[in-house]
Amino acid sequence: MKLTTWNVNSLKVRLPQVLQWLQTNPVDILCIQETKLTDDKFPQAEIEAAGYHVVYTGQKTYNGVAILSRHPIEDVQKNNPLFEDEQQRIIAATIAGMRIICAYIPNGQAPGTDKFSYKLRWLESLETWLQQEMAKHPNLALLGDYNIAPDDRDVHDPAAWEGMNLVSPEERTAFQRLIALGLSDSFRQFEQAEKTFSWWDYRALGFRLNKGVRIDHVLLSAPLAQRCISCSVDRVPRKWEQPSDHAPVTAELKPAE
DNA sequence: ATGGCATTTGATAAATGA
């Protein structure tokens, strides 16, 4: 069972790459962020033709999330029911006995801005809701673009990022509060190469110089973490023509006992 | 180097991203 998260930075532009990637990486579940599409423009037929069920919630220009699945999708929830939000950043569903939550956590712009306080309020409410969801669903996975680099290991140059969003103590504390609910950062369950990142700036040769940050994560509840046998970043599609600035991150679970 | 690049929009410069 393979679970992937990928911020595609416009599904309109990136649909061919998503389909191409799925051909060689036929994962069970793919959580997508930043579709940037209203629901009437979502390429449902193309995705279904590729052999995937799909659910989505989107808006014009910004945000938008979707879950693609080889297995039937049930009990779909759009957005956090505890957090009034016009921005479409969450979609959750039950798939193959797991509660799958796909999230595009706010960027936060910069500490001290309105967007930053929105991010912190958003995360606080996510935590409250997740606690309820975990009580209902022991098998839970939270996949997405967190816009948080949890540790200095997750930043190419921590000194250069000092004082920025993605790395601030407030954001890292919010991330650790999610972990404290009983979630595991599947990437850190395993030995990983140093300087493994999931996002690289389009500018200033970010990818070529590996000036990245690790902000896309697959968090697993304890029963799923116990089944997890790998978690890795696939840098290949970041090298393609006109790529997303994010790479897909995949966790693999062995079958339940 | 308060820029650099990509995407979107009742575009044609501005906002947003991270």
Side-chain angles (χ1 to χ4, degrees):
Chain A
M1 176 70 64
K2 288 186 176 177
L3 316 179
T4 302
T5 181
W6 193 4
N7 179 324
V8 298
N9 186 18
S10 170
L11 187 57
K12 181 182 171 189
V13 173
R14 229 69 63 190
L15 178 65
Q17 296 193 23
V18 170
L19 296 177
Q20 186 183 339
W21 189 81
L22 286 173
Q23 278 203 338
T24 43
N25 302 273
V27 297
D28 294 274
I29 296 169
L30 173 60
C31 294
I32 286 179
Q33 302 85 38
E34 286 209 86
T35 61
K36 301 188 179 181
L37 290 171
T38 50
D39 290 351
D40 60 303
K41 297 216 169 65
F42 193 91
Q44 178 166 352
E46 290 91 330
I47 287 169
E48 288 176 346
Y52 282 86
H53 304 271
V54 64
V55 291
Y56 46 88
T57 182
Q59 65 187 86
K60 189 155 58 168
T61 311
Y62 302 117
N63 310 313
V65 284
I67 301 174
L68 284 60
S69 170
R70 294 245 174 233
H71 314 280
I73 300 176
E74 299 177 308
D75 297 327
V76 177
Q77 165 77 44
K78 296 175 181 179
N79 274 348
N80 173 356
L82 305 180
F83 190 80
E84 190 72 33
D85 196 357
E86 289 180 1
Q87 303 185 29
Q88 302 303 303
R89 294 180 173 277
I90 289 181
I91 190 162
T94 299
I95 301 170
M98 300 177 291
R99 193 64 176 163
I100 301 294
I101 303 176
C102 170
Y104 176 44
I105 291 172
N107 170 282
Q109 199 168 57
T113 62
D114 288 347
K115 287 181 179 154
F116 192 79
S117 58
Y118 163 75
K119 178 177 191 172
L120 295 182
R121 281 187 290 110
W122 197 99
L123 281 161
E124 189 177 356
S125 186
L126 173 67
E127 180 192 344
T128 305
W129 178 55
L130 261 187
Q131 193 162 27
Q132 298 174 7
E133 287 287 285
M134 289 180 70
K136 288 185 216 165
H137 308 284
N139 296 326
L140 182 146
L142 175 61
L143 301 95
D145 175 357
Y146 285 63
N147 274 312
I148 301 173
D151 195 274
D152 278 354
R153 289 179 294 174
D154 303 314
V155 182
H156 68 91
D157 183 352
W161 280 79
E162 181 93 37
M164 306 267 285
N165 59 315
L166 314 193
V167 304
S168 73
E170 295 96 324
E171 292 162 272
R172 286 178 167 173
T173 297
F175 184 86
Q176 288 309 323
R177 288 178 65 96
L178 301 181
I179 296 293
L181 294 175
L183 294 168
S184 165
D185 178 356
S186 57
F187 183 83
R188 290 295 177 206
Q189 289 183 231
F190 307 96
E191 282 222 16
Q192 303 286 358
E194 281 187 36
K195 301 193 180 300
T196 299
F197 306 123
S198 67
W199 175 87
W200 303 263
D201 203 312
Y202 284 123
R203 301 164 292 184
L205 302 175
F207 185 67
R208 268 175 59 187
L209 301 175
N210 197 31
K211 289 185 173 179
V213 287
R214 191 177 69 93
I215 56 176
D216 301 271
H217 310 298
V218 181
L219 265 52
L220 301 172
S221 67
L224 296 187
Q226 283 173 5
R227 288 168 51 198
C228 188
I229 54 176
S230 72
C231 178
S232 60
V233 177
D234 184 0
R235 294 165 54 95
V236 169
R238 187 62 177 77
K239 302 171 187 170
W240 291 345
E241 286 286 313
Q242 200 179 12
S244 167
D245 41 1
H246 295 253
V249 181
T250 300
E252 180 170 11
L253 311 182
K254 64 183 179 186
E257 295 286 319

